[in-house]
Amino acid sequence: MMTLRKFTKRLFILLNIGVGLIFLLACCNAFLHPDKWWLIALLAFVFPLLLILLIAFIIFWLLACPRYILISLVCMLIGWQNIHAFFGFSLAGHDFSKKDSASIRIMTWNVRRWDEFSTKKTGAAGHRLPMMELVARQKADILCFQEFYEPDDSAKSNIRYISNQLGFHYFYFSGDYHNHTGKYQTGVVIFSKYPIQATSQTRFNTESFLQKESLISADIDVQGHTIRVFTTHLQSVLFKPKDFRSVEIIRNADDSMLEASRSLAKKLKSALGLRGYQADTVRKQLDATQLPYLICGDFNDVPNSYTYFHIRGELQDAFISKCFGIGRSYIHISPTLRIDYILPSKQFLIVQSMKLESPYSDHHALLTDLQLPGRKR
């Protein structure tokens, strides 16, 4: 009986150490480039599970042998930066029904081409106008949209509608992808109620995915203060319906799980490497910026990734600063996917922040109120 007890105890110690080491490997994604270390980069997606297991071991050892909780505690202490990037601990409240005149309200949203193609496939009524009404209700000063859809028909122009009906008279649109029939363009866009003084566009090399992406910026004059706003849409994995079926196969441990896993891993490997290089490009542009600035958008990567840590650098994370929880922003695959961000430089004071849930896109929008020191009401 004693021998079995010792064996069980040693087994749990080894399991705890093993989970702790894998957890620390996942934390290494903060500085390991995913193009060279893609297997470790994949661990970012199971970081929440690893964290839960470490906490479970703490509870187990508290009941069985308290001194062994140090295994998990030491690992969690070493990986605290990653834990805090994953989970927001702020209990600050928010009230976006009111807006301080000294604040700049930023809204970022991957609008999934205003749901134009999703509703066409199902034969349902379009969601474009409800989405526009949702945007109008937020009383934002600056809008950053990804997967923005602009039809060639000027009567249906989304840019014209947002400019004329919503009052955002200044904009800069990347126009990354042109439909081969010339019927529409897609890309990222910045709208502003304040004058735009200058703009820039950096195109990413995405030939392997046949999908063009950009980083754009706009220098905006906010009542005599010039700020630079960046937005981008980094490379997605481009999952197709069969890939989502592969996820279900893996979840259900079906017989074809190995083949499904290989298919997903191949796509993830390519996208992870490409996003790593895009993050390098973004970081160079941010480092060259002398103005107070912020970057927001759809990074298509989780907070425990090289992409997130490399782009964030010394920037603030609006969600982590003012919100509590995981902050899931992408509605498919996993409940832990926060892949959309608003990251202001330290010249800004973050007043409040929130995730705005909606049924229209596969992403939730983010809202943040910022203030610049010296800006008066």
Side-chain angles (χ1 to χ4, degrees):
M1 186 69 177
M2 185 63 71
T3 303
L4 179 61
R5 185 178 295 176
K6 285 184 178 179
F7 172 79
T8 304
K9 180 180 177 180
R10 288 174 182 174
L11 176 62
F12 273 89
I13 291 172
L14 289 174
L15 287 173
N16 196 170
I17 292 173
V19 170
L21 290 175
I22 297 173
F23 172 84
L24 293 177
L25 272 178
C27 293
C28 291
N29 282 315
F31 51 85
L32 294 178
H33 200 288
D35 188 45
K36 297 178 181 178
W37 303 92
W38 70 273
L39 277 174
I40 294 178
L42 287 174
L43 292 177
F45 296 99
V46 295
F47 180 89
L49 174 61
L50 296 169
L51 181 59
I52 290 171
L53 288 174
L54 287 179
I55 294 171
F57 274 116
I58 289 176
I59 296 171
F60 172 79
W61 289 124
L62 281 172
L63 299 173
C65 191
R67 69 175 180 270
Y68 290 111
I69 67 171
L70 285 173
I71 300 172
S72 291
L73 288 178
V74 169
C75 292
M76 291 170 67
L77 182 62
I78 294 172
W80 175 250
Q81 183 183 21
N82 289 71
I83 294 172
H84 193 34
F86 168 70
F87 196 95
F89 294 93
S90 174
L91 297 176
H94 61 260
D95 182 3
F96 280 88
S97 65
K98 301 175 183 177
K99 181 176 176 296
D100 192 317
S101 60
S103 296
I104 309 164
R105 180 162 296 175
I106 312 295
M107 179 180 186
T108 184
W109 193 13
N110 181 325
V111 294
R112 194 173 60 169
R113 295 177 290 188
W114 300 106
D115 213 21
E116 177 75 15
F117 297 97
S118 300
T119 51
K120 275 185 178 179
K121 287 179 182 178
T122 60
H127 292 145
R128 173 180 173 269
L129 286 179
M131 293 173 79
M132 292 289 188
E133 290 168 1
L134 180 67
V135 172
R137 291 196 297 270
Q138 307 317 311
K139 302 175 183 177
D141 299 302
I142 297 170
L143 305 173
C144 296
F145 294 135
Q146 304 82 46
E147 291 192 39
F148 184 86
Y149 169 81
E150 175 63 10
D152 185 56
D153 185 349
S154 60
K156 299 178 180 179
S157 170
N158 290 313
I159 289 177
R160 177 176 292 182
Y161 186 94
I162 293 171
S163 296
N164 295 341
Q165 302 300 319
L166 305 188
F168 292 86
H169 301 302
Y170 309 93
F171 69 91
Y172 181 56
F173 178 45
S174 66
D176 292 315
Y177 174 77
H178 295 252
N179 173 254
H180 68 279
T181 62
K183 291 184 177 179
Y184 65 86
Q185 302 177 59
T186 59
V188 289
V189 65
I190 298 171
F191 287 95
S192 174
K193 289 182 177 178
Y194 296 105
I196 293 178
Q197 299 174 325
T199 60
S200 73
Q201 179 176 9
T202 302
R203 293 188 184 275
F204 299 127
N205 179 10
T206 56
E207 292 179 3
S208 60
F209 275 81
L210 301 176
Q211 180 174 322
K212 297 177 181 178
E213 307 281 8
S214 287
L215 166 73
I216 64 172
S217 74
D219 291 356
I220 300 174
D221 180 359
V222 183
Q223 297 180 357
H225 297 266
T226 303
I227 65 171
R228 182 166 295 170
V229 176
F230 291 90
T231 194
T232 190
H233 179 253
L234 300 187
Q235 183 61 57
S236 66
V237 184
L238 297 180
F239 275 162
K240 296 179 179 178
K242 67 177 182 179
D243 297 309
F244 288 105
R245 288 195 293 272
S246 295
V247 174
E248 290 302 317
I249 288 171
I250 295 169
R251 281 178 176 171
N252 299 325
D254 290 355
D255 293 337
S256 54
M257 184 174 71
L258 181 60
E259 182 180 347
S261 299
R262 284 176 177 171
S263 174
L264 292 177
K266 185 177 179 181
K267 280 201 165 187
L268 287 168
K269 177 184 177 181
S270 298
L272 284 166
L274 190 52
R275 274 201 303 273
Y277 288 116
Q278 291 175 346
D280 296 340
T281 300
V282 172
R283 185 71 256 168
K284 289 179 182 177
Q285 293 294 321
L286 300 183
D287 286 342
T289 302
Q290 302 299 318
L291 296 168
Y293 71 91
L294 64 98
I295 178 167
C296 61
D298 177 5
F299 294 179
N300 269 306
D301 227 330
V302 292
N304 310 105
S305 63
Y306 174 88
T307 300
Y308 171 84
F309 275 105
H310 199 56
I311 292 177
R312 180 180 174 182
E314 298 298 319
L315 299 176
Q316 305 176 83
D317 184 325
F319 177 84
I320 293 300
S321 296
K322 293 294 179 180
C323 299
F324 183 86
I326 295 170
R328 177 191 191 185
S329 65
Y330 182 65
I331 66 174
H332 294 307
I333 303 177
S334 167
T336 62
L337 294 181
R338 182 166 77 100
I339 61 176
D340 301 88
Y341 306 94
I342 297 177
L343 308 177
S345 61
K346 290 187 176 179
Q347 294 101 319
F348 289 99
L349 170 67
I350 301 174
V351 179
Q352 58 179 349
S353 187
M354 70 171 287
K355 177 183 71 173
L356 180 67
E357 297 190 8
S358 77
Y360 306 121
S361 173
D362 53 357
H363 289 250
H364 297 308
L366 304 179
L367 286 171
T368 294
D369 283 357
L370 303 173
Q371 283 184 1
L372 273 171
R375 212 184 150 211
K376 299 178 180 179
R377 299 182 185 183

